[in-house]
Amino acid sequence: MRYEAPTSVEAATELLAGGKPEARVLAGGTDILVQMHMDAIAPELLVDIKNISEMRQIESLDDGYRFGAAVTGVELMDHANFCRTWPGVMDGVKLIGSLQVRGRATVAGNVCNASPAADSVPALIAAGAIATIAGPNGRRDIPVEDIGTGPGKTSLENGEILVSFFLAKARPSSGGAYQRFTPRTEMDIAIVGVGIDLTLGDDGVCTHARVALGAVAEKALLVEEAAATLIGTKVDEQALDNLAAAASAACRPIDDKRGTKEYRIEVAGVLARRVAAIALSRAKSAREK
Amino acid sequence: MGLKPTPYGTAIPFEEKELKFVGKNPTERPDAIEKVTGRARYAADYSLPGQLFGKVLRSPHAHANILSIDTSAAEALPGVKAVVTMDDFPDLEVEIAAAGELMVNFRDVTRNVMAREKVLYDGHPLAAVAATSNAIAKRALKLIKVEYEVLPHVIDVVEAMQPDAPILHEDQFTKGVDPKPEKPSNIATRIESKLGNSEEGFKKADVIIERHFNTKAAHQGYIEPHACVANYTEGGYAEVWTSTQGHFVFRSQIAKILKMDLAKITVTPAELGGGFGGKNTVYLEPLAIVLSKKSRHPVKMVMTRDEVFRATGPTSGTNTKVKIGATKDGKITGAQAELNYQSGAFAGSSLSMAAVTVFTRYDIENILVIGHDVTCNRPKVAAYRAPGAPMIAFGVESVIDELAEKLEIDPIEFRLTNAAKEGTQTHFGPKLGPIGFVETLEAAKASEHMKMPLGPNQGRGIATGFWFTIGNETSSTLNIAEDGTASFVYGTVDVAGGSRAVFTQIVAEELGIPLESIRVVQSNTTSLGFNFTTAGSRGTAAGSMAAVKASRDAVARMCDIAAKIWDVDIDEVAWEDGHARPAGANVGDFDPLSVADLAKKAAYYGGTIAGHAELNVVGGGPGFGTHIIDVEVDKGTGAVKVLRYSVIQDAGKAVFPDYVKAQFHGGAVQGIGMALNEEYIYDENGIMENPGFLDYRMPVASDVPNIDTIIVEVPNPNHPYGVRGIGEVPIIPPLAAIANAIHDATGIRLQDHPMSPPKVLKAMSEL
Ligand SMILES: Cc1cc2nc3c(=O)[nH]c(=O)nc-3n(C[C@H](O)[C@H](O)[C@H](O)COP(=O)(O)OP(=O)(O)OC[C@H]3O[C@@H](n4cnc5c(N)ncnc54)[C@H](O)[C@@H]3O)c2cc1C
């Protein structure tokens, strides 16, 4: 096995494009090294992206935030302003593994590992995060919901690499939240995850919402029908009931060792209500500021 | 425990006396610093020069005939130094022996170590390779060609009991039924335990409740996977460093499996990263020795977690029935239970002890217990902390709670009305001696915990537990060095419960010298006589008996030296505060002699000072406990959160109270895990689906609340310090106590384990 640690995005994509199909990106390694230990994969080339400075930055821009693919969970947690601006995204990031795991793990790795249960993904989708992808044919921007296509599968082409995420400046009076359900309190894998971002008008009526579900389909889902139940309401009991029903209806889970279909469907609705309530209170307190 | 009681055993009577070290919490813990700095050596930390790495080929089928095994391609791979299969191990006859709390049959042990005719579970070993690296060994495994004839399999215990179930062993006819059955069966044994006449008892009852319960197999979940290093030398000697709860019993098992003389085998126990009953039998050791013999290199083998789950002992999954009748005023008149226990691929589950102790916490005149030990296509079960007891206590304590509710009697009062006490006739044979069960119930009733208010969706549950303390062979030596410091060599295993600290306290107390002057050292199999496995809660109870005997032996020898120095009779010398003193004023005016004084002169007066114990300890005091648990149930998700937890248990005498509490905590935590989320999950092909900690959900720290403890001390009359075993009792009540608390919070009664969120949510929706 070969290990390379290039210092530029171009060098990385070149290595990946030129390499065999078994070439893999190594970010924090908290997924890929575990998979190698379990003999699930045996890559012949590992391209470590941690020495690429562009991928290590968290930048506050005029029109939003951009953070690199090699930024760790802990680095985001230590960035007070980012945390204040994107509490919903951070709800997801803070649930990845333990503190030790987050010390290595990256959000890009979470997205590119393409587990339908990945915790940062519904939160990023709800927040409208855009990923910048670089490859042999240059760069392109795609929304996070278009990356994962199924368990372990992404829409990234051969030689492509996720460079950074962009979060457009948050609307005033908006708030986001993410929660997951796991039987254990920590170190567990989501049976259901729900990320919701919503924006309130001056009259307290929801003007914009995005609802994303994790672990209830082959990939994280952006559920427009669920968002529609909130838009135009004051996110009252009736709206929450409709949200719960729409969230449950959007689930197409499997029965497996981690949870039954019927359980996942029911809990998706329960969690959607709870997450919407948190997002609402965050949006309200954002408005007060 | 499966061993015949002996009339020649040793019990040193309890003596009330003032204590200087025993019962206090020493600040120095002999093994602590090495453990927290990472210097403690576990089995996988040992390496020998020229060592190879061994790996095991395991069955991908739940049940299959082995038609052929072709190892030629693996042997031809560069770096591979040896390959072994069943052909490298002698077949063995049926021969039963004790191994911790369960019995083993050598015919089966050898087949479990290396499959012979058939593979009987997913993960069953059928070849092993030694190579110059782990990677080469793994590659070699892929080159071994095995032809299987896949057979129908059976996983569930009730299905395995059906007459048309796939049969694991064609030569297995149910024992314990008369006449001997004509057809083979997966029911290996039927046992019965009886007292009075239960049907007559039910006639006197005003209320009778009968319920059925199911529990899933759960793993001991020790943090350290099985590991060993073996070295077979040209002279025909084998040395093994391994992860074990009983190095002497491992030596016996290796000797049988490999047909070697005991004296040619040295087993050294490494620091143990948890066992809980799961490290009482060999898995890797015989393979590593034979690989070493064939390759002429030392061989190291370390299991992965996947292998630990698939191929080492979980506890039995069970199907049980409990029926109890009581009068209006709360007196139990009759009780019945049926226990159907998975034993896994080979007969011999924890049934034998569980079945005879089902109702021992209560004074009941009429009891009938019927048990079945059932083979099925799973790994052979191993002992797990009070083997078999938590699962049946789940049933019994749930039914007791339901009876109390129906009779409108407080659950603690109901138990007090029926509690076993000194003189209560057990259904396993003897009458109980002095025990502290009532005291634990009274302490629970008076506890702060019972006064804490409960909020919405919260509930409180009570349950109780009983377990034995075993004795058995226990040897140790106390050597007094020339400078008067002492080294105590013990032959049990410190199963991480703190034996070294406790033995230090006992020796200090007996000799009257400071803790710092004593070093406690683990023996290997050559430095002491046979010691039974550390199992059955005997570590401190039996181990300290040997420490007392060896200390008193050494004191006698020191008094003998003093008598010689003073030229007086030995009974004119008294031992006090670490010194030999004249026994009375008329003996003479001699200055007291310290251990150091005596040690310096020992050679001239006959030789080095030492004390020995080679005992078969008897008189282990039974242990009883009561747990109180508060939970909160999330009505939306069915998640159960444990809010508050109290363990109240009779320790006889807590030698090191903080360590006793740690045992209470450990049992409670394992019980919480088992109750809420832990279970073996199989797919339709009989393949385990969750062989890792991600999906086999043991609790993490944040799943567990602060656990309060109350240590009750009713001395065991057959132990010099009154000690009872305490390690196992605390895992017995949690399942039932949590079920009862969930009922209190929600009104549902769960009879299917684990009480995981989907089950709780479903039961609430059906209410
Ligand atoms: C103990 C433990 C607990 C965990 N708990 C959780 C949890 O609670 N929730 C959760 O969601 N996850 C959890 N995980 C999984 C894992 O930590 C996360 O998915 C993490 O975010 C992965 O990031 P990484 O940087 O370590 O990725 P890596 O392992 O380095 O990479 C993961 C995958 O993404 C690819 N990749 C990485 N970066 C890029 C890139 N820039 N461009 C293209 N491809 C890329 C890699 O090739 C690889 O296939 C846990 C893992 C462990 C070991």
mmCIF file of all heavy atoms in Angstrom, chain B residues 15 34 40 234 332 634 679 693 700:
data_model
loop_
_atom_site.group_PDB
_atom_site.id
_atom_site.type_symbol
_atom_site.label_atom_id
_atom_site.label_comp_id
_atom_site.label_asym_id
_atom_site.label_seq_id
_atom_site.Cartn_x
_atom_site.Cartn_y
_atom_site.Cartn_z
ATOM 1 N N GLU B 15 -13.867 -14.634 63.822
ATOM 2 C CA GLU B 15 -13.481 -14.120 65.140
ATOM 3 C C GLU B 15 -13.711 -12.617 65.124
ATOM 4 O O GLU B 15 -13.174 -11.928 64.264
ATOM 5 C CB GLU B 15 -11.976 -14.294 65.299
ATOM 6 C CG GLU B 15 -11.506 -15.329 66.256
ATOM 7 C CD GLU B 15 -9.973 -15.369 66.158
ATOM 8 O OE1 GLU B 15 -9.467 -15.941 65.161
ATOM 9 O OE2 GLU B 15 -9.315 -14.794 67.034
ATOM 10 N N GLU B 34 0.535 0.904 37.516
ATOM 11 C CA GLU B 34 0.902 0.210 36.277
ATOM 12 C C GLU B 34 -0.254 0.212 35.290
ATOM 13 O O GLU B 34 -0.055 0.305 34.082
ATOM 14 C CB GLU B 34 1.319 -1.224 36.582
ATOM 15 C CG GLU B 34 2.592 -1.275 37.406
ATOM 16 C CD GLU B 34 3.278 -2.621 37.340
ATOM 17 O OE1 GLU B 34 2.606 -3.597 36.958
ATOM 18 O OE2 GLU B 34 4.466 -2.674 37.677
ATOM 19 N N ALA B 40 1.104 -2.097 32.777
ATOM 20 C CA ALA B 40 0.611 -3.431 33.137
ATOM 21 C C ALA B 40 0.627 -4.281 31.874
ATOM 22 O O ALA B 40 0.240 -3.814 30.812
ATOM 23 C CB ALA B 40 -0.798 -3.322 33.688
ATOM 24 N N GLU B 234 11.890 -27.973 22.214
ATOM 25 C CA GLU B 234 12.271 -29.293 21.725
ATOM 26 C C GLU B 234 12.216 -30.353 22.821
ATOM 27 O O GLU B 234 11.996 -31.517 22.570
ATOM 28 C CB GLU B 234 13.668 -29.258 21.095
ATOM 29 C CG GLU B 234 13.687 -28.776 19.648
ATOM 30 C CD GLU B 234 13.241 -27.331 19.468
ATOM 31 O OE1 GLU B 234 13.308 -26.547 20.441
ATOM 32 O OE2 GLU B 234 12.808 -26.981 18.359
ATOM 33 N N ILE B 332 -46.414 -16.444 50.287
ATOM 34 C CA ILE B 332 -46.302 -17.310 49.101
ATOM 35 C C ILE B 332 -46.512 -18.761 49.526
ATOM 36 O O ILE B 332 -45.877 -19.244 50.471
ATOM 37 C CB ILE B 332 -44.927 -17.148 48.416
ATOM 38 C CG1 ILE B 332 -44.753 -15.700 47.940
ATOM 39 C CG2 ILE B 332 -44.791 -18.113 47.243
ATOM 40 C CD1 ILE B 332 -43.370 -15.390 47.379
ATOM 41 N N ASP B 634 -39.244 7.689 27.812
ATOM 42 C CA ASP B 634 -39.597 8.669 26.789
ATOM 43 C C ASP B 634 -40.812 8.119 26.038
ATOM 44 O O ASP B 634 -40.707 7.125 25.319
ATOM 45 C CB ASP B 634 -38.393 8.868 25.855
ATOM 46 C CG ASP B 634 -38.644 9.925 24.778
ATOM 47 O OD1 ASP B 634 -39.811 10.096 24.369
ATOM 48 O OD2 ASP B 634 -37.665 10.559 24.347
ATOM 49 N N GLU B 679 -27.995 -7.728 23.032
ATOM 50 C CA GLU B 679 -28.568 -8.975 22.536
ATOM 51 C C GLU B 679 -27.787 -9.486 21.350
ATOM 52 O O GLU B 679 -27.268 -8.714 20.550
ATOM 53 C CB GLU B 679 -30.041 -8.798 22.134
ATOM 54 C CG GLU B 679 -30.252 -7.802 20.999
ATOM 55 C CD GLU B 679 -31.704 -7.684 20.553
ATOM 56 O OE1 GLU B 679 -32.373 -8.711 20.422
ATOM 57 O OE2 GLU B 679 -32.163 -6.543 20.344
ATOM 58 N N PHE B 693 -18.979 -3.785 19.016
ATOM 59 C CA PHE B 693 -19.599 -2.927 20.036
ATOM 60 C C PHE B 693 -20.477 -1.825 19.447
ATOM 61 O O PHE B 693 -21.230 -1.200 20.170
ATOM 62 C CB PHE B 693 -18.536 -2.311 20.944
ATOM 63 C CG PHE B 693 -18.012 -3.275 21.961
ATOM 64 C CD1 PHE B 693 -16.656 -3.388 22.219
ATOM 65 C CD2 PHE B 693 -18.883 -4.078 22.692
ATOM 66 C CE1 PHE B 693 -16.174 -4.275 23.166
ATOM 67 C CE2 PHE B 693 -18.415 -4.971 23.642
ATOM 68 C CZ PHE B 693 -17.061 -5.075 23.886
ATOM 69 N N VAL B 700 -22.511 2.926 27.523
ATOM 70 C CA VAL B 700 -21.349 3.792 27.687
ATOM 71 C C VAL B 700 -21.564 4.572 28.986
ATOM 72 O O VAL B 700 -22.645 4.521 29.581
ATOM 73 C CB VAL B 700 -21.161 4.731 26.484
ATOM 74 C CG1 VAL B 700 -20.889 3.923 25.235
ATOM 75 C CG2 VAL B 700 -22.384 5.629 26.274
#
